[in-house]
Amino acid sequence: MVQKKVISLTKPIIEEAITNLYCNKFPTSLCIADLGCSSGPNTLFAVLEVVTTLDRVGKKMGRQLPEIQVFLNDLPGNDFNTIFKSLPRFQKDLEKRMGAGAESCFINGAPGSFYGRLFPSKSLHFIHSSYSLQWLSQIPQGLESNKGNIYMANSSPPCVLKAYYEQFQTDFSMFLRCRSEELLEGGSMVLTFLGRRSEDPSTKECCYIWELLAVALNDMVAEGLIEEEKMDSFNIPQYTPSPAEVKCEVEKEGSFTISRLEVSEVNWNAYHGEFCPSDAHKDGGYNVAKLMRAVAEPLLVSHFGDGMIEEVFSRYQKIVADRMSREKTEFINVTVSMTKRG
């Protein structure tokens, strides 16, 4: 639900990028890629928004919709089978919005890390990615002194913050280099990171959600349910950049012109202030714990084993619900729209 809200928030930016594509010499076929697509209900929502925006903008400009080839990318372990099984429903949704034009859309899977090459040179027109690029290619080196924390925090020493930032620089510059090879001149990218407004990488804006998980884990260490050594060697491979940090890497790499760089926010509880489909969803702690469990469970299981998962998230849900009742809790999004230089 949070991811869906974020994609909806970026619709005007996607629309602007696609309008600019139409204004350039427009091809009879168009290749787009959604990077870090995952396999949940939002996977095809992003594609639906991009394709129907193409259709809407084209009609407005009196252009015929080109054939559209869509590549869904994620790591090879992603559940592509589930995505492909949901394609008939996606096709129906597309037909409802576009009519006969829906037949011109072809979906493909493209497994692999986006921190390497994925597509042939100069083969893509448009790239979209939402809530994926904050994930690093690996846990940064040199985090031994980050004891008691599982991410950057106020109590993390400066060397930990530096290690995280340097890993982000390495990864994002590699991402930009690969995409500059794959995009045609004049092609566009719209990327949304989980990020922060502040220039302080340990600010609550981006670290608080993980700090609360660390509270649950540390409580279990104190009770002898988790080994302290295990806790001290666990770190989250994520970096939530500021707009200035994103801009700096794009300018350093040099292949792209930034047309929009914007910050938005969405409440931790996606149903905040809205109709809830069930009583369970009215519990903000439940919603956030469920969202974070989808993200963090594979990391926790591979490090601690699966015997402690239920207990961790039961505790985490209570901690989160308590904090949400007393504080304003928001995810910060950084969205950048850029065009490949000629």
Side-chain angles (χ1 to χ4, degrees):
M1 184 68 182
V2 167
Q3 291 96 322
K4 198 169 182 177
K5 269 197 162 176
V6 171
I7 292 163
S8 297
L9 277 173
T10 59
K11 257 171 75 172
I13 299 173
I14 291 169
E15 188 160 332
E16 182 184 81
I18 284 169
T19 303
N20 290 338
L21 259 183
Y22 263 109
C23 290
N24 294 327
K25 191 177 178 187
F26 208 71
T28 52
S29 66
L30 187 76
C31 274
I32 66 180
D34 188 46
L35 306 184
C37 66
S38 191
S39 61
N42 300 308
T43 295
L44 293 167
F45 176 73
V47 174
L48 189 67
E49 289 302 321
V50 172
V51 173
T52 51
T53 300
L54 267 168
D55 182 51
R56 191 172 61 251
V57 172
K59 282 172 180 160
K60 211 190 287 182
M61 298 179 74
R63 305 255 192 167
Q64 191 181 345
L65 186 72
E67 291 188 321
I68 301 167
Q69 192 168 21
V70 179
F71 291 98
L72 298 172
N73 156 262
D74 213 309
L75 293 170
N78 188 49
D79 187 0
F80 284 98
N81 282 342
T82 296
I83 299 174
F84 296 144
K85 281 174 189 165
S86 65
L87 284 178
R89 195 179 69 243
F90 167 77
Q91 208 64 37
K92 279 190 181 136
D93 290 342
L94 210 53
E95 279 164 23
K96 267 188 216 158
R97 294 205 198 182
M98 290 171 57
E103 293 170 11
S104 302
C105 182
F106 306 96
I107 308 280
N108 307 267
S113 168
F114 51 49
Y115 293 126
R117 284 290 299 275
L118 292 164
F119 307 102
S121 297
K122 297 187 169 69
S123 63
L124 297 177
H125 296 87
F126 183 75
I127 292 171
H128 173 264
S129 182
S130 183
Y131 267 33
S132 296
L133 275 161
Q134 67 269 9
W135 290 105
L136 300 169
S137 66
Q138 61 179 49
I139 293 164
Q141 301 294 305
L143 301 185
E144 294 78 15
S145 56
N146 203 28
K147 294 190 185 334
N149 299 313
I150 61 171
Y151 188 51
M152 296 178 290
N154 274 331
S155 56
S156 297
C159 64
V160 167
L161 307 185
K162 184 171 182 279
Y164 267 104
Y165 180 49
E166 286 175 355
Q167 187 64 51
F168 164 74
Q169 288 179 301
T170 300
D171 285 346
F172 190 42
S173 63
M174 172 60 79
F175 175 90
L176 292 168
R177 206 154 52 242
C178 292
R179 303 299 80 81
S180 75
E181 293 284 329
E182 295 162 355
L183 273 168
L184 289 138
E185 285 176 17
S188 305
M189 284 203 288
V190 175
L191 314 173
T192 298
F193 300 76
L194 187 59
R196 64 181 200 274
R197 293 180 193 276
S198 168
E199 286 312 308
D200 173 10
S202 63
T203 178
K204 274 176 80 169
E205 280 180 342
C206 53
C207 301
Y208 197 38
I209 195 102
W210 294 117
E211 282 177 31
L212 299 185
L213 183 57
V215 169
L217 290 166
N218 279 315
D219 285 349
M220 290 174 73
V221 169
E223 292 169 35
L225 301 172
I226 289 176
E227 293 171 35
E228 192 171 354
E229 296 76 27
K230 279 272 188 193
M231 174 66 189
D232 287 341
S233 60
F234 180 68
N235 290 284
I236 300 291
Q238 191 183 80
Y239 188 83
T240 42
S242 69
E245 288 171 343
V246 170
K247 186 181 179 190
C248 177
E249 293 310 311
V250 172
E251 289 178 346
K252 227 189 312 180
E253 195 278 330
S255 301
F256 297 93
T257 307
I258 294 175
S259 44
R260 296 271 285 269
L261 181 58
E262 298 191 1
V263 179
S264 59
E265 61 282 314
V266 60
N267 197 279
W268 278 10
N269 179 11
Y271 292 101
H272 178 71
E274 290 185 11
F275 168 75
C276 296
S278 75
D279 286 341
H281 288 135
K282 289 176 187 169
D283 176 356
Y286 168 86
N287 286 334
V288 177
K290 191 178 168 200
L291 171 74
M292 294 303 289
R293 182 167 181 166
V295 169
E297 183 168 354
L299 300 169
L300 289 163
V301 167
S302 70
H303 191 82
F304 296 102
D306 58 7
M308 44 71 85
I309 288 295
E310 294 305 326
E311 181 63 22
V312 168
F313 283 101
S314 168
R315 290 171 183 240
Y316 184 56
Q317 180 177 331
K318 288 179 189 135
I319 293 165
V320 167
D322 173 60
R323 301 301 170 96
M324 286 175 76
S325 69
R326 294 187 278 132
E327 302 177 47
K328 188 181 181 188
T329 50
E330 291 177 323
F331 292 116
I332 305 297
N333 318 304
V334 175
T335 301
V336 61
S337 176
M338 58 184 110
T339 305
K340 169 88 183 290
R341 292 181 194 272

